């Protein structure tokens, strides 16, 4: 029997759990100024939710889902991504019945049976946003801007925004036909998965991890030559507004994304620093015209993105972007007998009510081990309580920074410490 974590999963403790929550809190605060409200959905859904949305030719659906039958033989899947679940929730709860654009965000674990490697896990956390109800290119720009702001506020600079359009339905259909015609003569040089992709969705071939350097793929027709006038104009407006907002980007005509639901704008932020995570996508998203309709809802467009919280954490760690996160101890109370330990508990309670971080010793009555504890936790103040202090109500308070010591009446201790901290 092995008591080890499942391959591709991680434990977060000490510094790392603090890092994770730091990112979450920062992101929540930045995003709150854009009017997003949080949606919390189950971490598992009926399998069909993801098959319908991600597409039955995507890698996620064909290879990476944690799918199982529950005790009633229902097919259940641990969510591999958030978009489908949020759309399902939006339609099922008729959130479209009130007027206006709807802006949502989510935070939580996702599950994909991928090959674990640097920055790629089988359980990872995503922060994502989804906006429903408007098909303006300026909304796409604002969405991209919000991700850009999150990263710049976290201090992340070494990333590159790649953007493309995969056009509207007509552009995509014309393009798919052109790809089918082109790949028909090159099927022999494609991997076995790509042969299947050729039948179901030839655009998926361009996203193949195995064939990515294959000449045949590199010379394939480009979506930009099949865009309708509307799609071209739409994309130009996205780029123009990005230029005006001075958000640097690179148009990448090969960017098609690994999920089937996208139309028009697609984008990824790629890690560009000189480290082991270089080339990984830190964030990805785009527009989807018919997902809500596909779930039985009204004809409302959506746009959104998600980023991998662990990848953000990885890059911030290698680039030293985290501030000191562990909370500093304000006060350590040293107590010299059992009754003093009770007085220490009482005083600690009052100090904590006043937002001070207090540590205590629960076991030792001698000074030596308690000063050892002080060496370890490095408090700003040390308060000593013994029989004499209890009887007089006047405690010894040592300031470890100025190395001074005062006798302070117990009721004045809080004010005395707060004034100085
Ligand atoms: P995605 O590209 O599949 O898109 O994932 C988004 C981000 O999640 C990636 O850029 C990456 O940072 C992170 N990620 C994905 N897989 C892993 C993994 N195995 N380990 C660590 N991090 C990972 C989506 O999920 C779409 N739902 C995004 C979206 C939202 N599109 C529109 N709205």
């Amino acid at each position: 029997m092995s008591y080890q974590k499942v391959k591709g999963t991680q434990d977060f403790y000490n510094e790392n759990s603090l890092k994770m929550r730091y990112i979450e809190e920062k992101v929540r605060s930045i995003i709150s100024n854009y009017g997003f409200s949080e949606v919390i959905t189950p971490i598992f859904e009926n399998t069909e939710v993801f098959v319908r949305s991600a597409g039955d030719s995507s890698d996620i659906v064909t290879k990476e889902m944690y799918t199982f039958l529950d005790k009633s033989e229902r097919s259940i899947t641990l969510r591999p991504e958030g978009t489908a679940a949020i759309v399902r929730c939006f339609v099922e709860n008729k959130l479209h019945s009130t007027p206006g654009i709807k802006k949502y965000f989510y935070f939580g674990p996702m599950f994909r049976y991928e090959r674990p490697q640097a920055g790629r896990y089988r359980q990872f956390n995503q922060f994502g946003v989804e906006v429903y109800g408007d098909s303006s290119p300026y909304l796409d720009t604002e969405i991209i801007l919000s991700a850009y702001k999150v990263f710049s506020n976290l201090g992340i600079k070494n990333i590159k925004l790649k953007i493309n359009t995969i056009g509207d339905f007509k552009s995509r259909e014309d393009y798919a036909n052109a790809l089918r015609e082109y790949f028909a003569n090159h099927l022999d040089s494609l991997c076995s998965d790509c042969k299947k992709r050729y039948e179901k969705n030839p655009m998926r071939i361009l996203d193949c991890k195995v064939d990515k350097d294959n000449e045949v793929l590199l010379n394939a027709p480009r979506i930009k030559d099949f865009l309708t006038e509307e799609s071209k104009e739409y994309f130009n407006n996205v780029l123009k507004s990005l230029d005006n907002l001075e958000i640097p980007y690179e148009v990448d005509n090969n960017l098609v994304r690994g999920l089937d639901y996208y139309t028009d704008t697609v984008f990824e932020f790629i890690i560009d620093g000189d480290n082991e995570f270089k080339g990984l996508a830190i964030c990805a998203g785009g527009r989807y015209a018919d997902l809500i309709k596909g779930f039985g809802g009204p004809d409302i467009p959506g746009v959104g993105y998600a980023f991998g919280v662990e990848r953000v954490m990885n890059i911030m760690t290698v680039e030293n972007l985290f501030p000191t996160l562990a909370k500093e101890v304000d006060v350590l109370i040293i107590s010299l007998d059992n009754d003093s330990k009770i007085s220490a508990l009482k005083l600690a309670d009052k100090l904590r009510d006043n937002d001070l971080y207090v540590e205590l010793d629960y076991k030792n009555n001698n000074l030596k081990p308690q000063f050892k504890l002080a060496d370890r936790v490095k408090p700003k103040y040390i308060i000593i309580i013994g029989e004499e202090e209890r009887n007089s109500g006047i405690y010894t308070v040592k300031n470890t920074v100025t190395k001074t010591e005062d006798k302070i009446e117990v009721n004045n201790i809080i004010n005395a410490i707060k004034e100085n901290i």
Side-chain angles (χ1 to χ4, degrees):
M1 181 68 194
S2 125
Y3 294 107
Q4 287 169 343
K5 59 185 179 303
V6 172
K7 192 173 172 193
T9 65
Q10 298 187 92
D11 297 318
F12 293 91
Y13 47 87
N14 295 347
E15 191 71 6
N16 282 343
S17 50
L18 291 172
K19 286 178 177 175
M20 175 81 84
R21 295 302 168 221
Y22 171 80
I23 295 171
E24 181 172 345
E25 275 160 32
K26 272 272 203 185
V27 172
R28 279 177 186 276
S29 127
I30 296 160
I31 234 61
S32 66
N33 294 331
Y34 288 78
F36 293 103
S37 70
E38 185 167 12
V39 181
I40 304 170
T41 60
I43 59 163
F44 54 78
E45 298 273 348
N46 290 310
T47 300
E48 193 45 35
V49 168
F50 301 113
V51 175
R52 169 68 191 78
S53 56
D56 58 4
S57 63
S58 67
D59 272 5
I60 291 184
V61 169
T62 52
K63 296 181 190 161
E64 296 171 2
M65 293 205 309
Y66 279 92
T67 297
F68 57 94
L69 292 180
D70 71 7
K71 291 192 193 306
S72 304
E73 306 272 303
R74 291 184 196 94
S75 180
I76 301 291
T77 293
L78 298 185
R79 62 180 182 197
E81 60 115 32
T83 311
I86 307 296
V87 168
R88 194 268 310 138
C89 164
F90 180 75
V91 173
E92 185 173 346
N93 296 296
K94 299 196 172 43
L95 300 181
H96 46 77
S97 58
T98 53
I101 301 183
K102 304 291 159 41
K103 299 179 175 183
Y104 301 110
F105 79 90
Y106 51 94
F107 224 115
M110 308 290 159
F111 306 84
R112 294 185 192 176
Y113 192 78
E114 291 199 78
R115 197 162 61 80
Q117 51 188 280
R120 180 160 289 135
Y121 313 100
R122 289 185 174 169
Q123 175 174 336
F124 58 97
N125 288 278
Q126 274 188 350
F127 167 82
V129 309
E130 312 292 344
V131 180
Y132 304 142
D134 198 303
S135 56
S136 160
Y138 307 117
L139 176 58
D140 297 13
T141 300
E142 192 181 60
I143 289 294
I144 294 170
L145 173 68
S146 72
Y148 182 75
K149 282 285 178 183
V150 163
F151 300 134
S152 54
N153 272 288
L154 288 170
I156 301 172
K157 292 197 186 73
N158 287 325
I159 46 172
K160 195 190 280 173
L161 168 61
K162 288 193 172 184
I163 188 165
N164 193 20
T165 175
I166 49 175
D168 53 17
F169 295 120
K170 168 89 173 69
S171 324
R172 285 182 51 153
E173 203 182 305
D174 291 348
Y175 185 46
N177 287 337
L179 285 176
R180 243 183 229 111
E181 208 170 291
Y182 170 79
F183 283 121
N185 301 322
H186 301 285
L187 279 179
D188 289 347
S189 68
L190 297 180
C191 75
S192 56
D193 281 339
C194 279
K195 287 187 182 117
K196 286 183 211 142
R197 291 175 183 129
Y198 173 82
E199 299 295 335
K200 285 192 171 166
N201 183 354
M203 220 152 87
R204 278 279 72 79
I205 297 174
L206 303 177
D207 203 35
C208 177
K209 288 168 195 144
V210 177
D211 274 336
K212 68 177 183 336
D213 299 320
N214 185 335
E215 280 282 300
V216 172
L217 257 67
L218 300 177
N219 295 326
R222 298 288 162 87
I223 181 69
K224 69 176 169 44
D225 299 320
F226 297 86
L227 295 175
T228 59
E229 283 311 310
E230 292 79 21
S231 278
K232 272 188 208 160
E233 196 190 330
Y234 189 97
F235 192 49
N236 283 338
N237 280 325
V238 175
L239 299 185
K240 194 169 136 195
S241 46
L242 286 174
D243 287 335
N244 270 279
L245 286 159
E246 295 180 18
I247 302 176
Y249 62 83
E250 186 183 300
V251 174
D252 177 353
N253 292 138
N254 284 329
L255 183 66
V256 291
R257 306 276 301 117
L259 295 144
D260 278 358
Y261 45 67
Y262 294 108
T263 45
D264 284 301
T265 318
V266 289
F267 60 91
E268 289 186 349
F269 285 86
I270 308 288
I271 298 177
D272 201 26
D274 205 6
N275 57 57
E276 62 189 303
F277 307 109
K278 192 180 169 96
L280 277 183
I282 201 173
C283 171
R287 179 163 279 285
Y288 39 93
D290 72 340
L291 198 50
I292 294 171
K293 200 163 135 209
F295 272 77
D299 193 0
I300 293 177
V303 58
Y305 63 78
F307 66 73
V309 182
E310 285 80 357
R311 287 189 187 176
V312 171
M313 194 164 140
N314 291 338
I315 180 169
M316 287 182 67
T317 301
V318 295
E319 299 201 345
N320 265 324
L321 298 176
F322 285 104
T324 306
L325 294 172
K327 210 173 157 169
E328 287 180 11
V329 177
D330 294 312
V331 181
L332 170 71
I333 308 179
I334 287 179
S335 43
L336 304 178
D337 55 54
N338 286 351
D339 284 343
S340 298
K341 297 233 173 275
I342 296 171
S343 302
L345 283 174
K346 272 193 188 161
L347 178 60
D349 183 44
K350 284 207 188 96
L351 292 166
R352 288 176 182 140
D353 282 349
N354 280 273
D355 202 25
L356 293 166
Y357 171 14
V358 185
E359 286 286 356
L360 305 173
D361 179 290
Y362 308 96
K363 189 174 76 183
N364 299 294
N365 287 336
N366 295 333
L367 275 176
K368 201 172 162 194
Q370 299 195 64
F371 272 113
K372 262 200 177 157
L373 175 64
D375 283 346
R376 191 153 48 78
V377 302
K378 299 190 175 37
K380 291 180 201 127
Y381 289 89
I382 297 173
I383 300 176
I384 301 176
I385 313 179
E387 193 182 351
E388 196 187 315
E389 283 81 4
R390 268 190 291 113
N391 290 336
S392 64
I394 295 175
Y395 294 178
T396 307
V397 179
K398 286 176 184 288
N399 182 327
T400 64
V401 183
T402 57
K403 308 249 186 286
T404 51
E405 189 176 304
D406 288 302
K407 300 275 181 201
I408 303 179
E409 212 271 315
V410 62
N411 294 323
N412 295 331
I413 286 183
I414 291 169
N415 282 345
I417 290 181
K418 286 208 90 168
E419 265 167 30
N420 282 316
I421 278 188

